[in-house]
Amino acid sequence: MENFAEKTFSGLKNDISTYVETRLELMKLNTYERVAKTMAVFSYGIVLVLLAFFAILFLFLALGFFLGEILNSVALGFLLVVGMYLLLFGLILLFREKISARVTNEIITAMMSKDEKEDEETTDPAGDITGGTETGA
């Protein structure tokens, strides 16, 4: 009888240690996935910012030349463009907290997001699908 109990507890110990190791591996993989998603969002954001920067740069260059022709002074045209840049810079400084909060929220959303499949396949340790009802005798 004691030998049977030892085997049972030994098997239970092995099962628990295997379960804990598997859960730790799953948490590690989930962390890797979230970091990868965050880096993807960050990289995408950098690409968009660079494209927007160059678009705005060339737009303001064209505007500087256009205003220079209208005012018969290229220097005055570019001076007005610099004024617009300073105005844009001031607006960004004015709304820096809102911009920072939005960026932070986007990063948190990217880190906290889960696939829809993952939500559908969530199971409890007993193997029952969560949210289901148990039927018993």
Side-chain angles (χ1 to χ4, degrees):
M1 181 75 174
E2 192 172 307
N3 192 17
F4 176 73
E6 283 180 20
K7 287 181 182 178
T8 302
F9 284 120
S10 176
L12 184 60
K13 178 184 167 191
N14 289 338
D15 289 345
I16 289 173
S17 65
T18 302
Y19 174 76
V20 169
E21 288 174 6
T22 304
R23 291 296 294 180
L24 288 174
E25 184 70 22
L26 179 63
M27 285 193 311
K28 187 167 60 170
L29 291 173
N30 283 337
T31 302
Y32 290 157
E33 180 183 18
R34 288 181 180 168
V35 168
K37 283 182 181 180
T38 303
M39 292 304 295
V41 168
F42 184 69
S43 300
Y44 180 72
I46 288 175
V47 168
L48 285 180
V49 166
L50 284 174
L51 288 174
F53 168 76
F54 283 112
I56 290 171
L57 175 70
F58 287 117
L59 180 71
F60 278 126
L61 276 172
L63 184 62
F65 284 116
F66 178 71
L67 290 175
E69 281 186 28
I70 290 176
L71 300 172
N72 292 327
S73 172
V74 175
L76 189 58
F78 278 100
L79 186 65
L80 288 174
V81 168
V82 167
M84 289 179 203
Y85 265 115
L86 290 175
L87 180 66
L88 186 63
F89 181 71
L91 287 173
I92 289 172
L93 283 178
L94 184 66
F95 294 109
R96 72 176 172 255
E97 289 180 17
K98 288 183 181 181
I99 293 170
S100 177
R102 184 167 179 173
V103 169
T104 302
N105 288 339
E106 288 294 325
I107 290 172
I108 289 171
T109 301
M111 291 185 78
M112 299 295 289
S113 69
K114 292 185 176 181
D115 293 337
E116 290 177 10
K117 281 194 230 175
E118 216 175 283
D119 291 338
E120 291 173 3
E121 296 175 0
T122 304
T123 58
D124 66 8
D128 298 327
I129 295 183
T130 57
T133 58
E134 289 185 1
T135 57

